[in-house]
Amino acid sequence: MTENQDMSRDNRTEYQQDTVMDHEFDGIQEFDNRLPNWWLWLMWGSMVFALLYWVFFHTLGVGVLPVERFEMEMQVAQEIQIARALEAGIDNEFFVMMTQNEAKVAEGREIFVKHCVACHLDQGQGSVGPNLTDGYWIHGCEPMQMLKIINDGVAAKGMPAWMNQLGPTRVNAVLAYILTIKDNEVAGKAPEGEPCSF
Ligand code: HEC
């Protein structure tokens, strides 16, 4: 062994004696080394960041989370899509597209609860008006056929006309909602009309 190696071993022993921790397990001892600054900065930094992030996004709700931002952008895109379709003229496909717009369907549900449940009941299962969920339709099950009934009503049978009262935007929304409950098969009023699928 050279003199140099001897010295380094001595140094190491000295260092160990100074900084080794006072527990030992299976002959394994632990150094009490000071953590490097870059590591400490990272740790404290990420803790502060996590705290600020939590307060900003969750406690105060000031920040818009990526998922929320995505949904907002989707919403805007869908609004644009609906506006374009309206310009081009509505058809069955337009209403199928409307059913994919959660906000419109939710709006339609509200309108339904306010104006339609008196006769069609809460789930559309029917009382004065027919069951809207049973797959049987008096006037056809295509969206455009339903639109005509909702707009103009069937005065002789007691279905009011809604176009004047609700206006096109709300009629479109309530129709979108009806399309989402259309084949739910809720037990209620006996089927009327013909079996129909769209
Ligand atoms: C005052 C009672 C009443 C209210 C309120 C009412 N309906 Fe009706 N609805 C009826 C009746 C009765 C019929 C059946 C008409 C017929 O026999 O031709 C009907 C039929 C319908 C049909 C066609 C069903 C089919 O089988 O072809 C749709 C769609 C409809 N209603 C939607 C609505 C919507 C949407 C609303 C609310 C905006 C609404 N109704 C509110 C009584 C009502």
Side-chain angles (χ1 to χ4, degrees):
M1 205 173 280
T2 66
E3 198 181 320
N4 241 348
Q5 275 170 327
D6 255 358
M7 259 180 67
S8 71
R9 166 173 289 183
D10 284 346
N11 282 347
R12 203 160 59 216
T13 320
E14 212 172 283
Y15 181 68
Q16 268 177 356
Q17 275 164 358
D18 279 349
T19 58
V20 86
M21 294 180 83
D22 59 4
H23 54 250
E24 181 187 327
F25 186 77
D26 264 359
I28 298 170
Q29 287 177 297
E30 195 185 342
F31 278 127
D32 184 13
N33 281 348
R34 194 180 172 282
L35 288 160
N37 279 344
W38 65 263
W39 195 95
L40 287 170
W41 274 111
L42 267 183
M43 183 187 72
W44 290 115
S46 50
M47 283 165 92
V48 170
F49 176 80
L51 189 73
L52 292 178
Y53 184 95
W54 187 263
V55 171
F56 187 70
F57 283 105
H58 295 284
T59 313
L60 300 179
V62 187
V64 181
L65 287 166
V67 176
E68 288 168 358
R69 178 163 303 146
F70 172 75
E71 274 165 13
M72 279 158 65
E73 281 174 16
M74 283 298 284
Q75 193 71 41
V76 172
Q78 281 174 342
E79 294 291 339
I80 293 172
Q81 200 182 19
I82 288 173
R84 280 196 193 139
L86 275 171
E87 267 172 36
I90 52 175
D91 53 12
N92 287 338
E93 296 313 315
F94 168 77
F95 286 103
V96 172
M97 184 184 80
M98 286 275 285
T99 62
Q100 281 142 25
N101 184 323
E102 276 175 35
K104 288 283 173 210
V105 171
E107 190 189 326
R109 164 76 191 162
E110 276 175 32
I111 297 161
F112 187 81
V113 168
K114 208 163 161 196
H115 299 286
C116 321
V117 293
C119 299
H120 292 283
L121 295 203
D122 185 58
Q123 290 168 280
Q125 69 270 46
S127 70
V128 176
N131 189 334
L132 301 174
T133 70
D134 59 6
Y136 283 76
W137 293 84
I138 303 168
H139 301 282
C141 63
E142 285 182 26
M144 290 303 279
Q145 293 171 316
M146 293 185 205
L147 180 67
K148 186 169 168 24
I149 300 301
I150 299 171
N151 276 341
D152 304 339
V154 189
K157 298 287 183 64
M159 164 68 180
W162 294 100
M163 180 57 178
N164 286 340
Q165 195 180 331
L166 298 178
T169 311
R170 286 194 287 169
V171 166
N172 291 349
V174 79
L175 176 47
Y177 171 70
I178 289 178
L179 293 174
T180 67
I181 61 167
K182 188 165 144 308
D183 293 312
N184 280 356
E185 301 285 353
V186 183
K189 199 175 184 192
E192 292 164 85
E194 303 292 321
C196 181
S197 63
F198 170 75

